[in-house]
């Protein structure tokens, strides 16, 4: 009774200070936030200044340990809408009722870099989703690649130590191009499939909004009658899967290292809500052993030609966080946050993850009460007998914190299965306790082959160049040679091209597994040179992705004084009507007068930005006389813009008055048809421009454009 009175008092007090006066953390109003308390006008600062001490103490403790991996992240709120019921497979409530909407928070991340590192690293991207379901929180802690480097959790610290900056000099930051990473990888044949993904352009996405998501492991869908199916989770971006060029990614790192964070933030602020189709591959329990690989092996994917992805819902991100630290930094994911109807498989990597994530939250967030931080709270009210602990904020009333009890009327009671209680798959388990890798995990090359064979020609070239770039940074020749030896098991063209680019002789490794102790069984030391089950899979190449939209693409308009106003308005509205974003670049930040006298305000100057920040360019310069675009300094800057965009295979529209730039650029007078170069005399230039932007790049002409 007493405590009820107290809480009523507290409630009424909490409405005080409505005029938002500055206070201490104890709620005391502050009259001077400029000066500390001193013994005299020019005297020493007094210890009793509790206002100063509180402010500085809080400041001193503002940082919490960053995540050991995935430290750099960007997040957003959104909603998952189920379009097709999965109740035939799972009792999970949020997957059962078509039309149901579940709030989510998604955090994207790079893996290797520190919190302040560049967004543009060649790296895997995290794609972690917290579903706030009515049955509790479900976390799908996914990546943008469907496989992983290693098969067993035992190797995770080794992998992460190898890729992180080297311990003696803390170099390099957010980069895999160094000795220790490639030393480890060259001794780990099981990583070869993932290396194909990591060296492909998937590792340098154009935007978080344009990348896929994969749950990687096989999980289980369960019904209360114990019917079980294996399931793999997929997210397919509505805008298509698109990447940057490696040279471009390196340039953006310097010009705007928050490129992906900004892109996500701006898209949501502009109402261009990122969307993904959410899909599942479902495998009946009876088919578990009917593949030529083990579905528990996280270095393998299930080709969509073999088990199609069924689209069952839509993920939409529609609200930016209010506070980065409170939400994106403090969100705590865990593959073990499950709801009834979903269960783990025995994938040994997944099993190891189940320990790691809570453990990591304890050291990062500092308390077992991290579930009480608002971003981590379940929608379902939490009732249990856990108590106390660092920073406990839940105020549980009464004497009882144990079960069974009679004093508390028995509360809280256990729920029954069928009342939304969690239940596990009742699996038969038998076997010999053993520390060994299963023989069914031994084929390391056939899916690496499948991935390489599925790439388009430009994608293959990019992958080869990435390997040459990375391995050229390695200082120990033996590591390069060993890695080339691994490539010889994947594809001869790939191996020979990389060997040539590195100046290395190809020496096929006789026993690629011999160097590692994982396979202690002599039979499994022999390399497996299997052919993949299917020769190629179209879903593995970005070539076949969505290329019919300019929505949310950023078009840089380089506009000079006197630029033709009617072309400017026509093109701006045509692009904006289709959802593209036009940003004006001028010679300085001063307003620009168009041919009809209209004034436009630039968002950028030629000095403050670079072509790499835009998907396409339009140049319109107006009359030559009095136009500072034709001053030699600006002319050079514009030509640099154009030539760089040209090298990165982007669409460039030379509008009114820009012929001089066209003729001086690398795009001029080429012996081949280039669908990415638009000039006013083209037939239907608008549609040519729109089509070129929607296609993302003219990758097929990369060699020609750069020769
Ligand atoms: Fe993680 N991983 N991981 N991981 N992981 C973490 O947890 C770990 C793995 C993934 O935005 C950590 O809260 C182990 C696979 C994402 O907050 C840590 C193993 C996949 C994120 C951890 C793996 C992932 C993490 C660090 C091998 C793809 C960022 C901070 C056994 C399916 C989540 C944290 C976010 C974060 C451990 C392998 C995805 C240390 C031990 C495979 C997206 O607990």
């Amino acid at each position: 009774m007493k405590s009820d009175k107290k809480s009523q008092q507290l409630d009424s007090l909490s409405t005080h200070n409505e005029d938002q006066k500055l206070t201490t953390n104890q709620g005391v109003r502050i009259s001077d936030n400029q000066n500390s308390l001193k013994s005299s006008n020019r005297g020493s600062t007094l210890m009793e200044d509790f206002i100063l001490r509180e402010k500085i103490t809080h400041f001193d403790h503002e940082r919490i340990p960053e995540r050991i991996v995935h430290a750099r992240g960007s997040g957003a709120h959104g909603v998952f809408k189920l379009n097709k019921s999965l109740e035939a497979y799972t009792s999970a409530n949020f997957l059962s009722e078509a039309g149901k909407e579940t709030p989510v928070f998604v955090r994207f991340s790079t893996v290797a870099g520190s919190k302040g590192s560049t967004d543009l690293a060649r790296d895997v991207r995290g794609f972690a989703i917290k579903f706030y379901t009515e049955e509790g929180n479900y976390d799908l802690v996914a990546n943008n690649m469907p496989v992983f480097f290693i098969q067993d959790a035992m190797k995770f610290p080794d992998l992460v130590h190898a890729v992180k900056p080297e311990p003696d000099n803390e170099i390099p930051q957010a980069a895999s191009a160094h000795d220790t990473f490639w030393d480890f990888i060259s001794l780990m044949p099981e990583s070869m499939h993932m290396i194909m993904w990591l060296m492909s352009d998937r590792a340098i996405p154009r935007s978080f909004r344009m990348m896929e998501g994969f749950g990687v492991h096989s999980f289980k869908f369960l019904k209360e009658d114990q019917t079980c199916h294996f399931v793999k989770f997929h997210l397919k971006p509505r805008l298509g899967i698109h990447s940057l060029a490696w040279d471009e990614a390196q340039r953006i790192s310097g010009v705007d290292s928050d490129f992906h964070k900004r892109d996500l933030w701006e898209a949501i602020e502009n109402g261009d809500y990122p969307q993904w189709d959410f899909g599942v591959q479902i495998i009946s329990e009876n088919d578990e052993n009917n593949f030529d690989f083990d579905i528990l092996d996280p270095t393998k994917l299930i080709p969509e030609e073999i088990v199609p992805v069924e689209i069952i819902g839509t993920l939409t991100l529609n609200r930016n966080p209010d506070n980065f630290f409170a939400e994106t930094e403090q969100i705590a994911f865990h593959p073990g946050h499950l709801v009834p109807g979903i269960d783990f498989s025995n994938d040994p990597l997944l099993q190891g993850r189940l320990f790691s994530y809570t453990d990591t939250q304890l050291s990062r967030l500092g308390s077992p009460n991290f579930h009480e931080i608002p971003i981590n709270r379940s929608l379902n009210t939490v009732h249990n007998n856990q108590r106390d602990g660092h920073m406990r904020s839940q105020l549980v009333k009464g004497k009882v914190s144990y079960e069974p009890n009679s004093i508390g009327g028995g509360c809280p009671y256990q729920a029954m299965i069928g009342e939304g209680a969690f239940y596990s798959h009742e699996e038969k388990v038998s076997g010999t306790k053993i520390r060994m890798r299963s023989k069914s995990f031994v084929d390391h090359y056939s899916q690496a082959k499948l991935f390489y064979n599925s790439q388009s020609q430009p994608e293959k070239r990019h992958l080869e160049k990435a390997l040459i770039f990375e391995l050229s940074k390695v200082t120990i020749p033996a590591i390069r040679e060993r890695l080339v030896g691994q490539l010889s098991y994947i594809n001869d063209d790939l191996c020979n091209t990389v060997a040539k680019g590195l100046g290395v002789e190809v020496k096929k490794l006789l026993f690629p597994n011999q160097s590692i102790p994982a396979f202690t069984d002599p039979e499994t030391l022999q390399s497996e040179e299997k052919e993949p089950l299917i020769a190629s899979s179209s879903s593995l190449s970005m070539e076949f992705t969505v290329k019919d939209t300019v929505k949310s693409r950023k078009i840089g308009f380089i506009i000079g004084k006197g630029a033709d106003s009617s072309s400017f308005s026509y093109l701006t509205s045509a692009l904006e009507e289709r959802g593209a974003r036009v940003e004006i670049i001028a010679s300085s930040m001063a307003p620009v007068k168009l041919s009809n006298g209209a004034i436009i305000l630039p968002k950028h100057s030629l000095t403050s930005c670079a072509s790499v920040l835009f998907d396409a360019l339009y140049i319109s310069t107006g009359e030559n006389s009095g136009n500072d675009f034709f001053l030699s300094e600006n002319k050079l800057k514009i030509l640099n813009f154009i030539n760089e965009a040209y090298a990165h295979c982007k669409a460039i529209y030379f509008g009114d008055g820009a012929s001089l730039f066209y003729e001086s650029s690398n795009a001029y007078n080429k012996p081949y048809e280039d669908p990415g170069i638009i000039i006013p005399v083209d037939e239907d230039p608008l549609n040519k421009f729109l089509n070129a932007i929607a296609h993302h790049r003219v990758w097929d002409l990369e060699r020609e454009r750069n020769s």
Side-chain angles (χ1 to χ4, degrees):
M1 200 53 208
K2 214 175 178 185
S3 64
D4 279 348
K5 224 183 226 166
K6 175 85 189 295
S7 60
Q8 278 166 17
Q9 279 170 356
L10 283 174
D11 280 352
S12 68
L13 276 176
S14 66
T15 58
H16 287 184
N17 204 12
E18 273 163 1
D19 50 354
Q20 299 193 9
K21 289 285 186 312
L22 188 72
T23 71
T24 66
N25 284 335
Q26 304 306 316
V28 176
R29 288 187 168 189
I30 296 172
S31 67
D32 184 345
N33 193 34
Q34 322 305 322
N35 301 295
S36 49
L37 188 66
K38 300 180 197 75
S39 57
S40 65
N41 200 10
R42 297 175 58 246
S44 56
T45 303
L46 295 180
M47 184 80 158
E48 72 171 71
D49 188 353
F50 66 91
I51 298 176
L52 172 73
R53 277 191 288 117
E54 183 201 80
K55 186 173 178 181
I56 289 191
T57 307
H58 196 276
F59 167 77
D60 289 347
H61 297 267
E62 273 175 8
R63 291 290 167 272
I64 59 172
E66 64 174 38
R67 290 164 172 85
I68 167 72
V69 281
H70 296 267
R72 167 124 189 121
S74 308
H77 294 269
V79 62
F80 169 70
K81 184 169 181 203
L82 185 73
N83 301 322
K84 191 173 172 209
S85 169
L86 287 173
E87 68 180 341
Y89 305 105
T90 171
S91 64
N93 172 297
F94 82 109
L95 295 175
S96 296
E97 199 185 304
K100 194 175 195 62
E101 296 197 353
T102 304
V104 297
F105 189 89
V106 173
R107 184 174 179 274
F108 301 105
S109 47
T110 52
V111 178
S114 299
K115 190 168 175 281
S117 59
T118 175
D119 278 342
L120 289 308
R122 172 175 295 285
D123 200 352
V124 188
R125 298 298 185 287
F127 192 146
I129 312 170
K130 192 177 283 292
F131 296 84
Y132 301 93
T133 88
E134 290 163 5
E135 295 177 306
N137 291 348
Y138 170 59
D139 292 355
L140 180 58
V141 197
N143 275 349
N144 76 329
M145 297 180 189
V147 289
F148 204 63
F149 296 91
I150 48 169
Q151 295 174 324
D152 192 303
M154 193 68 149
K155 299 309 298 165
F156 191 65
D158 296 299
L159 166 72
V160 175
H161 288 172
V163 72
K164 284 273 180 185
E166 297 180 8
D168 51 354
N169 56 14
E170 184 77 0
I171 296 174
Q173 179 54 242
S176 51
H178 60 114
D179 285 355
T180 55
F181 178 71
W182 287 102
D183 184 28
F184 176 77
I185 292 298
S186 67
L187 295 167
M188 292 291 287
E190 69 198 61
S191 66
M192 281 306 127
H193 184 196
M194 181 65 167
I195 288 300
M196 292 295 104
W197 283 85
L198 189 71
M199 294 298 113
S200 81
D201 293 343
R202 299 272 184 154
I204 37 170
R206 155 66 182 83
S207 157
F208 294 135
R209 304 176 293 125
M210 297 172 200
M211 58 183 209
E212 283 183 287
F214 303 91
V216 176
H217 315 279
S218 298
F219 290 87
K220 285 177 179 173
F221 271 162
L222 280 185
K223 294 284 289 176
E224 282 146 2
D225 64 4
Q226 287 290 320
T227 321
C228 170
H229 288 82
F230 288 95
V231 58
K232 292 244 186 200
F233 294 107
H234 293 252
L235 291 124
K236 292 183 180 284
R238 288 268 171 92
L239 295 175
I241 318 159
H242 301 287
S243 70
L244 299 168
W246 177 230
D247 174 69
E248 190 185 14
Q250 291 177 89
R251 268 277 277 149
I252 302 175
S253 273
V255 186
D256 182 10
S257 61
D258 302 306
F259 184 71
H260 286 148
K261 195 184 277 286
R262 192 184 310 282
D263 170 272
L264 180 68
W265 179 274
E266 286 183 351
I268 294 175
E269 290 298 295
N270 290 336
D272 292 331
Y273 298 144
Q275 283 196 313
W276 287 261
D277 288 321
F278 189 93
V280 287
Q281 281 178 302
I282 294 183
I283 303 110
S284 115
E285 212 185 355
N286 298 334
D287 287 335
E288 177 176 359
N289 300 313
N290 289 344
F291 297 88
D292 72 338
F293 51 86
D294 196 327
I295 64 166
L296 300 185
D297 173 356
T299 66
K300 305 295 182 299
L301 52 83
I302 304 183
E304 292 186 27
E305 285 75 5
I306 298 177
V307 180
V309 174
E310 197 181 339
I311 302 300
I312 53 104
T314 313
L315 175 75
T316 308
L317 298 182
N318 53 20
R319 183 161 65 85
N320 277 318
D322 290 314
N323 184 283
F324 181 87
F325 181 84
E327 300 176 272
T328 313
E329 190 61 12
Q330 291 203 118
I331 194 160
F333 292 98
H334 179 17
H337 292 161
L338 288 189
V339 288
I342 307 182
D343 207 352
F344 316 112
S345 69
N346 287 338
D347 173 338
L349 195 70
L350 174 59
Q351 294 281 321
R353 292 179 75 196
L354 298 180
F355 165 72
S356 177
Y357 287 70
T358 312
D359 190 44
T360 224
Q361 308 314 342
L362 288 177
S363 77
R364 233 167 49 75
L365 299 168
S367 154
N369 292 317
F370 64 82
H371 61 279
E372 293 190 356
I373 298 171
I375 195 70
N376 294 324
R377 271 185 213 155
S378 136
L379 290 181
N380 227 5
T381 318
V382 172
H383 288 296
N384 59 40
N385 294 314
Q386 294 170 20
R387 53 184 269 187
D388 306 347
H390 201 57
M391 293 293 173
R392 180 71 165 179
S393 61
Q394 194 184 352
L395 204 152
V396 185
K397 296 178 186 170
K399 285 177 183 302
V400 175
S401 54
Y402 53 89
E403 191 270 351
N405 68 70
S406 67
I407 300 176
C411 293
Y413 293 105
Q414 283 181 184
M416 311 274 281
I417 296 173
E419 277 183 333
F422 185 79
Y423 56 99
S424 298
H425 186 207
E426 289 168 14
E427 207 183 348
K428 206 176 199 170
V429 180
S430 69
T432 311
K433 188 164 72 180
I434 195 166
R435 228 182 242 284
M436 200 189 253
R437 205 72 62 89
S438 165
K439 275 185 202 157
S440 56
F441 278 38
V442 86
D443 159 29
H444 304 316
Y445 301 106
S446 44
Q447 289 213 348
K449 281 181 196 175
L450 173 66
F451 181 81
Y452 182 78
N453 292 341
S454 305
Q455 303 301 293
S456 63
Q457 278 309 319
E459 286 172 309
K460 281 184 179 160
R461 281 201 300 270
H462 294 178
L463 196 158
E464 291 154 4
K465 277 167 128 179
L467 276 163
I468 295 168
F469 174 93
E470 296 263 320
L471 290 162
S472 299
K473 297 255 182 186
V474 165
T475 64
I476 301 166
I479 297 176
R480 279 196 285 271
E481 281 166 22
R482 204 158 51 225
L483 202 280
V484 166
Q486 294 286 359
L487 298 179
S488 71
Y489 283 89
I490 300 172
N491 182 285
D492 286 343
D493 284 345
L494 165 71
C495 177
N496 294 334
T497 311
V498 174
K500 193 166 165 227
L502 293 171
V504 161
E505 199 190 325
V506 178
K507 287 188 208 137
K508 201 163 176 123
L509 304 171
L510 277 184
F511 301 109
N513 291 338
Q514 194 168 32
S515 47
I516 51 160
F519 299 96
T520 38
D521 179 348
E523 271 181 52
T524 54
L525 283 180
Q526 199 67 36
S527 69
E528 290 264 317
E529 270 197 88
K530 273 198 196 169
E531 280 313 307
L533 194 64
I534 51 171
S536 76
S537 168
S538 60
S539 60
L540 303 183
S541 166
M542 292 191 271
E543 175 77 6
F544 307 105
T545 192
V546 179
K547 288 180 180 168
D548 61 359
T549 175
V550 300
K551 210 166 172 280
S552 82
R553 292 299 187 144
K554 222 188 234 188
I555 320 300
F557 269 39
I558 304 182
I559 301 295
K561 185 175 159 199
D564 182 57
S565 55
S566 55
S567 316
F568 172 82
S569 312
Y570 171 68
L571 199 59
T572 307
S573 39
L575 285 163
E576 288 182 346
E577 263 167 32
R578 289 162 181 84
R581 301 276 157 194
V582 167
E583 293 192 357
I584 311 294
I585 308 161
S587 56
S588 74
M589 296 307 283
V592 180
K593 202 184 238 179
L594 301 182
S595 61
N596 65 351
I599 302 280
I600 52 166
L601 289 178
K603 179 160 184 189
H604 311 273
S605 80
L606 288 171
T607 314
S608 70
C609 69
S611 81
V612 289
L613 302 180
F614 304 95
D615 291 294
L617 294 181
Y618 169 69
I619 304 111
S620 176
T621 59
E623 290 303 313
N624 197 334
S625 60
N627 191 332
D628 63 359
F629 265 22
F630 293 92
L631 295 175
S632 60
E633 184 195 343
N634 287 337
K635 211 161 119 186
L636 205 66
K637 281 185 192 158
I638 296 173
L639 268 179
N640 277 343
F641 250 80
I642 295 168
N643 287 337
E644 195 174 50
Y646 182 72
H648 297 146
C649 299
K650 291 176 182 173
I652 308 171
Y653 189 154
F654 293 91
D656 300 86
S659 56
L660 186 131
F661 289 106
Y662 175 49
E663 285 157 21
S664 318
S665 77
N666 294 346
Y668 185 58
N669 212 8
K670 293 291 178 197
Y672 50 84
E673 187 63 31
D674 190 329
I677 300 301
I678 295 95
I679 48 175
V681 295
D682 277 334
E683 199 180 306
D684 199 358
L686 171 64
N687 274 321
K688 194 176 171 193
F689 194 40
L690 290 170
N691 196 35
I693 302 167
H695 271 75
H696 182 59
R697 315 276 168 136
V698 282
W699 287 133
D700 285 336
L701 287 180
E702 194 177 20
R703 207 168 254 172
E704 287 78 355
R705 277 192 172 198
N706 287 295
S707 62

